[in-house]
Amino acid sequence: MDVTIASASVLVDQFEELLLGYGISIPRHPQTGADMLPLWMILERLRTGFAGTPDDLRQSFTAGVAVHDLAAKMLEVHQSPQFADLVPHLRMLANGAIHLTEPPPAYPDTYNKLIELYWAGLCLGAGLTLELDHPTNADGKNPDVITGAASRDAKHGYAFKTVRSPHTQNMLEHLEKGIRQIEGSACTEGIVAFHLTPRLQQAHEIWPEGGYFSDWLVPMRVVSEACRQMIAQIVIDNGQPKIDQMFRGTKTAGSILCLAFSPTVAAHPVTGNPVVMHLKVGTVVQVTTENPISNALGTELTVLNHMMQTVVG
């Protein structure tokens, strides 16, 4: 579905009005510069006869597509009875770190919680019941998001970890903590989820300098493969027996859910003109044959990925 800058700007305005209804306003953040203005800035430059290329507006586009995507997900579910459970996370937006595709600020608490908010919105949109840890008052012992459905007794836990460090030891520690959270919770099955966007910043193979892809699937595959390689390195550096032992006898699926967001420039499938596209990658990477993902969790992940790709306002 095509999204114009004008329609995206209107949707972001609606999002801001929604937040104001809860007493939440988003000032300009002194470190990230994040606010709700990027889409309007792009629109104004186009209206005044801007004749440049997407490269010239890379920073604004990067912020704009992230804000629009988050706004679309929140507006989709704002009438849900459980939407109020998302408000504490939304209130953290007042800190300004709202760029899912930008490097996190020096004090990244809000940035870390954004992926939980985003996933919770997908879950509500899919009609799931939700248990969402409070962003500041949680004890860190439970998965960040736990879902349920009227059609089953199972509860699925998602332990989110935002990964910045390139060192596999850091990722291993994230993995160990996520497993502990799932094991100590009331969920019947869970999966550790890595938000890998910070590891993909400034990747020119995703947004090429001075050019564009003939097919958006090319950078999508680049992002997916980058995620797989990061996870594979954990196994390589620590050995398969150690990874197997970490999962053995647990209720944690022997795979890692990888999420990554990045803008790119690719040819429009109809017009052939270069347009900015928002890549939203959700891929599951198996790290052990212990605890294969159940059919129920696998189906839920498929539904949530569909929501991620198709809800655009």
Side-chain angles (χ1 to χ4, degrees):
M1 175 180 175
D2 291 349
V3 178
T4 66
I5 295 296
S7 64
S9 297
V10 170
L11 185 139
V12 169
D13 273 354
Q14 294 171 347
F15 179 46
E16 193 163 20
E17 290 174 7
L18 173 65
L19 294 178
L20 287 173
Y22 288 93
I24 302 169
S25 63
I26 301 181
R28 193 172 188 85
H29 190 274
Q31 289 178 327
T32 66
D35 56 19
M36 293 297 193
L37 294 178
L39 289 164
W40 282 113
M41 292 167 60
I42 297 169
L43 183 61
E44 187 61 27
R45 292 189 71 177
L46 295 177
R47 282 174 174 166
T48 56
F50 176 72
T53 68
D55 278 342
D56 299 321
L57 292 174
R58 181 187 295 235
Q59 185 175 7
S60 293
F61 269 120
T62 297
V65 296
V67 173
H68 167 260
D69 189 39
L70 179 64
K73 302 304 190 285
M74 295 298 103
L75 289 168
E76 178 76 8
V77 300
H78 79 278
Q79 293 182 327
S80 166
Q82 280 205 279
F83 184 77
D85 294 343
L86 275 56
V87 171
H89 279 71
L90 286 166
R91 199 170 299 282
M92 290 189 74
L93 293 180
N95 292 331
I98 57 176
H99 294 192
L100 276 173
T101 53
E102 283 286 288
Y107 302 99
D109 286 349
T110 301
Y111 186 93
N112 293 350
K113 299 300 180 182
L114 270 174
I115 194 63
E116 301 170 15
L117 169 66
Y118 188 88
W119 196 255
L122 298 181
C123 293
L124 290 187
L128 300 169
T129 59
L130 188 69
E131 297 175 31
L132 181 63
D133 250 4
H134 193 281
T136 57
N137 294 334
D139 58 13
K141 295 180 180 178
N142 290 321
D144 305 294
V145 179
I146 298 178
T147 63
S151 60
R152 53 175 167 78
D153 295 328
K155 288 187 174 184
H156 297 151
Y158 297 89
F160 286 96
K161 306 298 171 190
T162 297
V163 179
R164 297 172 183 77
S165 171
H167 303 295
T168 53
Q169 180 60 34
N170 177 264
M171 289 190 284
L172 182 69
E173 291 169 359
H174 279 316
L175 183 58
E176 290 172 332
K177 183 177 180 180
I179 293 172
R180 288 197 300 270
Q181 289 175 311
I182 292 169
E183 294 309 301
S185 74
C187 66
T188 53
E189 182 181 7
I191 188 168
V192 178
F194 281 1
H195 177 210
L196 295 170
T197 300
R199 291 282 307 274
L200 297 171
Q201 299 305 321
Q202 311 303 324
H204 296 300
E205 64 270 26
I206 302 172
W207 183 318
E209 293 278 0
Y212 62 94
F213 292 102
S214 60
D215 188 337
W216 65 272
L217 287 174
V218 175
M220 179 70 83
R221 294 191 192 102
V222 169
V223 175
S224 296
E225 182 58 27
C227 292
R228 292 182 183 279
Q229 289 181 7
M230 291 179 210
I231 302 307
Q233 199 63 45
I234 302 174
V235 180
I236 292 170
D237 289 354
N238 292 278
Q240 191 65 59
K242 179 173 181 175
I243 302 300
D244 291 344
Q245 182 59 39
M246 287 171 57
F247 286 89
R248 187 169 296 131
T250 71
K251 55 187 176 183
T252 305
S255 298
I256 297 174
L257 169 63
C258 298
L259 298 170
F261 304 86
S262 180
T264 190
V265 183
H268 189 283
V270 176
T271 67
N273 296 327
V275 294
V276 176
M277 299 180 180
H278 188 32
L279 300 179
K280 296 167 283 186
V281 175
T283 186
V284 175
V285 182
Q286 185 179 28
V287 293
T288 176
T289 56
E290 302 282 338
N291 307 343
I293 293 176
S294 69
N295 290 335
L297 179 56
T299 298
E300 184 170 295
L301 288 168
T302 299
V303 169
L304 295 175
N305 184 63
H306 179 74
M307 295 287 299
M308 182 166 67
Q309 305 301 335
T310 58
V311 176
V312 293

